[in-house]
């Protein structure tokens, strides 16, 4: 079998044979290069054929070895390891190492990685002052995006992106400082004094302490909540070429330092269609109000009055494997934090929707955002913090994608084409002649 495809241009009758390239699995990643389409011209002065794909729905923008998703079968693996295994057996810092470096660490490598990240958790006092400058009611995600970009001015050496040691130091700094910036952003919005990171605490323990510590005493870490947070961080650590990862790669392709590339990624995450989606789910569950109102709500969704938030995904045409794990964890978390009627409403909504042909035919299954907001809220996080909670773990994924892009021999500055739909050449009209 020839690994080519033959195309006939019916405008000219000409035949073209284009090569097909493959990823690791033929059925995931067989592709033609859209540059090969350029030779297809209707006349000699024709520019050549472009691929048109708004939102990249069927365009691979890179080759990547970080995450693998089989959306039809509901599979997600980081560096080949199924997320179910990582969620059950690992912890976030180990997964971050795996995602960034491609392999699970040895004991010594993990200790060194954790030590470095711990040592970079503190932020410069001037960064703290910078954060103080935000309005008292500033959205924590706005603070996070700006503060991460501002880190660029504190580490000018980070511009040396071709130096692996420099890159590693910025990667460790970013993974380390994200929880600190996130917690400071939250405490700023509440007018609470900042709590500094402590060497003796774990990554997740530190974050919870910086968020919720109240008085002089030590923050009492509940092991169940620590575990739950670890699982949630693991599940959000990477998700191949999503909007924010694409922003990290696209901005990074002009070769700035990683702080501005990661700030761009965080900005991509901010919107309600990406990192803000679980907030929409929570608002929907609150609006429904009680379990018995679910059938009525479903009817309204089917009538086109509302969207069912937290259902459906561009890539998954099956249950999002992350949602399954989060759902299983919800009960355990609520056991510690106390019950919320929102979980019952969510379970009922899922049950009815999964039996209803309307949703089944459209392959609308719960995605990761459907249950995560319930857990975060039960743990005491306000809804404004939800996209921030997504940004903390996704930093490892963004950095892995950014580094992979830099090391890719096919790397080019991101520069899509367009299909021009404006007017043909026109004359400039003086203002007194315009109608
Ligand atoms: C993600 O985890 O980034 C979201 O599910 C969005 C996506 O993959 O498109």
């Amino acid at each position: 079998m020839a690994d080519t495809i033959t195309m006939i241009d019916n405008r000219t009758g000409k035949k073209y044979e284009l090569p097909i390239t493959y990823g690791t699995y033929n059925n995931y990643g067989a592709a033609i290069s859209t540059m090969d389409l350029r030779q297809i011209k209707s006349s000699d002065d024709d520019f050549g054929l472009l691929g048109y794909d708004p939102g990249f729905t069927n365009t691979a923008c890179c080759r990547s070895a970080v995450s693998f998703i089989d959306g039809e079968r509901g599979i997600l693996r980081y560096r080949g390891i199924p997320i179910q295994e990582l969620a059950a057996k690992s912890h976030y810092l180990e997964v971050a190492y795996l995602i960034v470096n491609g392999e699970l660490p040895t004991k010594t490598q993990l200790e060194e990685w954790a030590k470095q990240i711990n040592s970079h958790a503190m932020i410069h006092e001037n960064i703290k002052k910078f954060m103080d400058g935000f309005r008292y009611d500033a959205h924590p995600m706005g603070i996070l995006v700006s503060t991460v970009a501002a880190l660029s001015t504190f580490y000018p050496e980070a511009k040396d992106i071709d130096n692996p040691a420099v890159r590693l130091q910025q990667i460790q700094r970013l993974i380390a400082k994200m929880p600190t910036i996130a917690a400071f952003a939250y405490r700023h919005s509440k007018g609470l004094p900042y709590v500094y990171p402590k060497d003796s605490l774990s990554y997740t323990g530190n974050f919870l302490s910086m968020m919720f510590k109240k008085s002089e005493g030590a923050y009492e870490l509940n092991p169940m909540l620590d575990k739950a947070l670890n699982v949630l961080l693991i599940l959000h650590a990477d998700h191949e070429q999503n909007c924010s990862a694409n922003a990290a790669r696209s901005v990074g392709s002009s070769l700035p330092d990683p702080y501005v590339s990661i700030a761009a990624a965080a900005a991509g995450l901010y919107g309600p269609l990406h990192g803000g989606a679980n907030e929409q789910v929570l608002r929907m569950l609150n609006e429904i109000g009680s379990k018995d109102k679910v059938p009525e709500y479903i009817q309204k969704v089917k009538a086109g009055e509302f969207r069912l938030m937290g259902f459906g995904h561009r890539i998954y045409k099956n249950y999002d494997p992350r949602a399954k794990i989060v759902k299983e964890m919800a009960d355990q978390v609520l056991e510690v934090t106390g019950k919320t009627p929102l979980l019952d409403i969510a379970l009922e909504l899922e049950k009815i929707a999964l039996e209803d042909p309307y949703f089944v035919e459209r392959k609308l299954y719960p995605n990761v955002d459907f249950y995560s907001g319930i857990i975060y809220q039960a743990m005491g996080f306000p809804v404004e913090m939800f996209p921030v909670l997504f940004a903390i773990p996704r930093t490892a994924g963004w950095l892995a994608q950014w580094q992979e892009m830099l090391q890719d021999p096919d790397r080019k500055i991101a520069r899509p084409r367009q299909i021009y739909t404006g007017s043909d050449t026109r004359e400039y009209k003086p203002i007194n002649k315009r109608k």
Side-chain angles (χ1 to χ4, degrees):
M1 186 179 71
D3 287 337
T4 59
I5 188 159
T6 302
M7 294 175 84
I8 297 172
D9 185 346
N10 293 322
R11 298 171 301 176
T12 59
K14 277 196 192 161
K15 218 178 190 186
Y16 301 85
E17 194 171 334
L18 310 184
I20 298 174
T21 57
Y22 296 99
T24 318
Y25 307 102
N26 288 357
N27 53 347
Y28 270 92
I32 57 160
S33 160
T34 48
M35 269 313 285
D36 286 340
L37 298 176
R38 194 69 80 73
Q39 58 183 306
I40 305 179
K41 299 179 178 204
S42 59
S43 63
D44 282 348
D45 60 354
D46 182 355
F47 179 77
L49 215 56
L50 297 171
Y52 176 59
D53 186 8
F56 302 119
T57 46
N58 195 42
T59 297
C61 66
C62 62
R63 291 163 175 270
S64 180
V66 184
S67 293
F68 172 74
I69 303 177
D70 178 337
E72 301 296 322
R73 288 190 288 158
I75 292 173
L76 170 61
R77 302 180 197 132
Y78 298 153
R79 302 283 187 184
I81 305 180
I83 48 145
Q84 291 80 355
E85 268 195 69
L86 293 168
K89 300 176 190 163
S90 189
H91 57 84
Y92 175 68
L93 274 194
E94 185 178 59
V95 172
Y97 183 100
L98 168 75
I99 287 178
V100 169
N101 298 293
E103 294 295 335
L104 284 169
T106 61
K107 192 167 175 289
T108 323
Q109 285 168 333
L110 183 58
E111 277 165 11
E112 182 58 21
W113 174 251
K115 188 174 123 203
Q116 287 303 328
I117 289 176
N118 223 343
S119 74
H120 286 301
M122 200 68 100
I123 54 174
H124 195 288
E125 281 297 295
N126 283 355
I127 277 283
K128 208 183 79 184
K129 285 194 204 133
F130 173 84
M131 296 179 79
D132 276 340
F134 285 97
R135 263 178 65 124
Y136 70 97
D137 58 352
H139 194 289
M141 196 61 182
I143 301 182
L144 182 99
V145 170
S146 323
T147 309
V148 172
L151 289 179
S152 160
T153 63
F154 284 76
Y155 305 109
E157 73 276 19
K159 287 182 180 46
D160 189 6
I161 50 173
D162 289 324
N163 181 331
V166 172
R167 268 203 316 265
L168 176 63
Q169 192 177 37
Q170 314 321 312
I171 287 174
Q172 290 169 336
R173 276 185 178 140
L174 270 161
I175 293 176
K177 292 185 196 308
M178 274 293 184
T180 315
I181 297 171
F184 280 26
Y186 164 73
R187 293 187 82 100
H188 176 81
S189 69
K190 293 273 166 238
L192 293 167
Y194 302 130
V195 175
Y196 286 71
K198 265 180 134 184
D199 278 356
S200 57
L201 293 175
S202 68
Y203 189 79
T204 39
N206 239 330
F207 176 53
L208 290 172
S209 153
M210 289 189 285
M211 279 288 302
F212 299 124
K213 186 172 176 299
K214 288 219 169 71
S215 55
E216 281 307 298
Y219 173 75
E220 280 221 18
L221 182 62
N222 181 301
M224 173 56 219
L225 299 187
D226 188 36
K227 169 75 191 152
L229 186 58
N230 258 294
V231 171
L232 284 162
L233 296 193
I234 290 171
L235 297 180
H236 286 87
D238 192 56
H239 211 238
E240 49 121 298
Q241 306 313 314
N242 56 80
C243 172
S244 54
N246 184 248
R249 279 180 178 266
S250 189
V251 171
S253 73
S254 78
L255 310 184
D257 68 58
Y259 297 103
V260 290
S261 301
I262 299 309
L269 187 71
Y270 196 171
L273 293 185
H274 196 1
N278 50 5
E279 175 177 346
Q280 306 299 324
V281 173
L282 219 64
R283 292 196 196 288
M284 174 188 75
L285 296 176
N286 277 312
E287 201 175 298
I288 297 173
S290 61
K291 204 173 141 179
D292 55 302
K293 299 265 172 55
V294 170
E296 191 188 319
Y297 192 84
I298 295 266
Q299 287 317 315
K300 288 187 175 159
V301 169
K302 285 162 71 175
E305 283 178 50
F306 297 119
R307 268 189 67 193
L308 190 54
M309 306 311 294
F311 268 66
H313 192 281
R314 171 78 73 81
I315 306 295
Y316 292 115
K317 301 299 164 222
N318 202 322
Y319 214 110
D320 179 338
R322 302 169 296 176
K324 241 181 219 163
I325 303 173
V326 181
K327 181 183 174 186
E328 280 160 22
M329 224 173 49
D331 265 338
Q332 298 167 43
V333 171
L334 296 187
E335 203 61 43
V336 175
T337 60
K339 297 268 176 237
T340 155
L342 296 186
L343 183 62
D344 291 334
I345 301 173
L347 290 169
E348 184 69 5
L349 200 58
E350 181 192 324
K351 189 171 131 286
I352 298 184
L354 291 186
E355 283 165 1
D356 191 315
Y358 177 92
F359 298 97
V360 176
E361 275 158 25
R362 288 169 176 75
K363 300 196 174 172
L364 292 173
Y365 293 90
N367 61 42
V368 71
D369 305 311
F370 191 62
Y371 288 104
S372 61
I374 296 177
I375 301 192
Y376 284 142
Q377 194 182 51
M379 286 172 85
F381 292 103
V383 283
E384 302 76 52
M385 282 299 284
F386 291 0
V388 175
L389 287 158
F390 198 150
I392 295 172
R394 187 54 65 87
T395 300
W398 292 331
L399 288 163
Q401 301 280 347
W402 165 77
Q403 179 156 258
E404 187 176 60
M405 177 276 303
L406 288 178
Q407 293 172 321
D408 188 340
D410 287 348
R411 180 187 91 197
K412 284 186 182 62
I413 184 167
R415 177 57 176 91
R417 305 297 308 212
Q418 63 168 11
I419 296 172
Y420 177 66
T421 58
S423 43
D424 205 342
T425 323
R426 298 195 284 167
E427 269 180 19
Y428 175 82
K429 249 191 213 158
I431 198 156
N432 55 354
K433 302 243 166 86
R434 291 177 215 157
K435 290 205 180 104

